Amino acid sequence: GAKDLSHLYFHLFGEALFETEGIPGIVYCDRSFGFGCYHGFFLRAVSEEGIKIVKDVEKECIKNYGIGGLGCTHGIGHGVMDFFWSKSIDEALEVCSTLAWKGKLLGCQDGVFMEYNFPTIINPDKTTNSSHRSLDKENYYHPCESVHERYKPSCYYNLPQWWEGILGHDYEKLGKLCNDIIDTDNRKICFFGIGNSIPFFFDYNIEKSTEACSKMPNLENKTFCTTGAAWSIFDDDFGNKSNYKLMCGTLPEAEKEFCFINYNVYKMAQKN
């Protein structure tokens, strides 16, 4: 479709950008069309300079956006996973570990998992298609159970988005899948991940997002979902960021307090 074609154009734009501007050109890339510009830019950069160039690209990200400009390093993650596709996700994550951002969520690792779950395939005839990876042997938790401990939170945070690709927006089912995760921290982050993907699907409508989170198994998990949704609203570059308060405000008093303290996933990711 048009969206796939646009990804390809952004991919080609990214390649041309590296050719003409070199590493400083990275600042012209953005989130559009599955981070397509980052893919093209990064793959061209790596094919010419080798994987070591990743650190120089990150320096350029930090110079322009600060250490908190994680959209840029997220884009790097997409490119890294694309580069290592024929090898392994572990090697891609290892490259992320050499970068400055050490938070347990967001950044390069986030881009790696998103690209792993939603690979962009460029066909021989130069069309692209982006789809979710298929479900293997009814294992809904792959690759999270096998990645290194330090990447598990990021993996579980990204997993619900992939589940949606397979199961549609059956939030009851998604909630049950998160609830079955034994580790309490990763379970909580999984519910944050469900919440994070909800507002975008409902065009940032508070009422519909609240209804989706209400399908979670209990109040605690509904709170995690709502808090993740509040972050998604706050993180939206094109909407009213202060609407995150309305999202938190749909919870009972004590839970509302939790939401206001924890909605900022960027800050949460920095806590060990």
Side-chain angles (χ1 to χ4, degrees):
K3 205 170 175 185
D4 294 335
L5 207 55
S6 300
H7 180 94
L8 178 66
Y9 291 145
F10 273 81
H11 211 286
L12 296 172
F13 174 69
E15 288 188 44
L17 201 53
F18 180 75
E19 285 302 318
T20 53
E21 302 284 328
I23 289 171
I26 192 81
V27 300
Y28 296 108
C29 289
D30 64 16
R31 304 177 181 203
S32 304
F33 302 105
F35 291 79
C37 175
Y38 286 106
H39 284 206
F41 183 94
F42 195 78
L43 287 178
R44 177 53 61 96
V46 169
S47 69
E48 290 188 16
E49 308 280 338
I51 196 71
K52 65 182 188 309
I53 200 173
V54 66
K55 282 189 164 168
D56 296 329
V57 177
E58 188 201 32
K59 276 185 195 135
E60 201 61 41
C61 288
I62 292 170
K63 190 170 104 186
N64 287 279
Y65 304 109
I67 188 81
L70 296 176
C72 194
T73 42
H74 176 104
I76 290 176
H78 276 271
V80 170
M81 187 66 240
D82 217 352
F83 175 74
F84 280 112
W85 195 254
S86 58
K87 294 175 184 153
S88 78
I89 191 168
D90 295 323
E91 286 178 84
L93 291 167
E94 208 43 57
V95 170
C96 291
S97 74
T98 66
L99 301 180
W101 174 250
K102 303 296 182 198
K104 62 182 176 185
L105 300 173
L106 310 177
C108 176
Q109 59 199 355
D110 212 46
V112 164
F113 287 119
M114 193 181 281
E115 185 61 31
Y116 185 78
N117 290 331
F118 298 95
T120 304
I121 313 298
I122 298 198
N123 303 315
D125 63 355
K126 285 290 183 217
T127 57
T128 68
N129 57 310
S130 175
S131 68
H132 54 78
R133 63 182 169 87
S134 51
L135 179 64
D136 187 30
K137 303 187 186 69
E138 291 298 299
N139 183 358
Y140 285 97
Y141 301 99
H142 177 77
C144 300
E145 74 283 36
S146 57
V147 296
H148 189 286
E149 211 53 48
R150 67 173 174 267
Y151 303 120
K152 284 187 193 298
S154 183
C155 189
Y156 283 111
Y157 184 66
N158 278 279
L159 211 50
Q161 209 183 1
W162 173 65
W163 290 341
E164 282 176 338
I166 294 165
L167 301 164
H169 297 269
D170 180 348
Y171 292 108
E172 219 163 286
K173 173 84 171 151
L174 266 55
K176 186 172 175 355
L177 284 169
C178 276
N179 209 34
D180 286 346
I181 294 167
I182 292 160
D183 180 86
T184 48
D185 284 343
N186 289 329
R187 186 189 317 139
K188 168 182 161 183
I189 277 169
C190 183
F191 281 106
F192 264 85
I194 293 181
N196 179 51
S197 67
I198 282 173
F200 177 75
F201 178 69
F202 290 112
D203 250 351
Y204 296 93
N205 178 300
I206 305 287
E207 213 173 303
K208 288 177 179 168
S209 300
T210 305
E211 194 188 331
C213 279
S214 75
K215 303 268 176 30
M216 298 303 111
N218 55 41
L219 179 59
E220 183 186 39
N221 295 328
K222 179 186 164 183
T223 303
F224 298 151
C225 177
T226 304
T227 306
W231 162 252
S232 183
I233 292 163
F234 180 78
D235 193 40
D236 175 31
D237 292 335
F238 307 106
N240 181 350
K241 288 179 178 294
S242 67
N243 278 351
Y244 83 88
K245 294 174 186 167
L246 296 176
M247 194 70 217
C248 286
T250 62
L251 291 165
E253 214 48 50
E255 286 72 21
K256 189 190 300 183
E257 193 57 32
F258 174 90
C259 187
F260 280 131
I261 294 167
N262 295 285
Y263 77 91
N264 190 325
V265 169
Y266 172 67
K267 285 183 179 159
M268 187 174 87
Q270 291 173 294
K271 294 175 191 163
N272 291 325

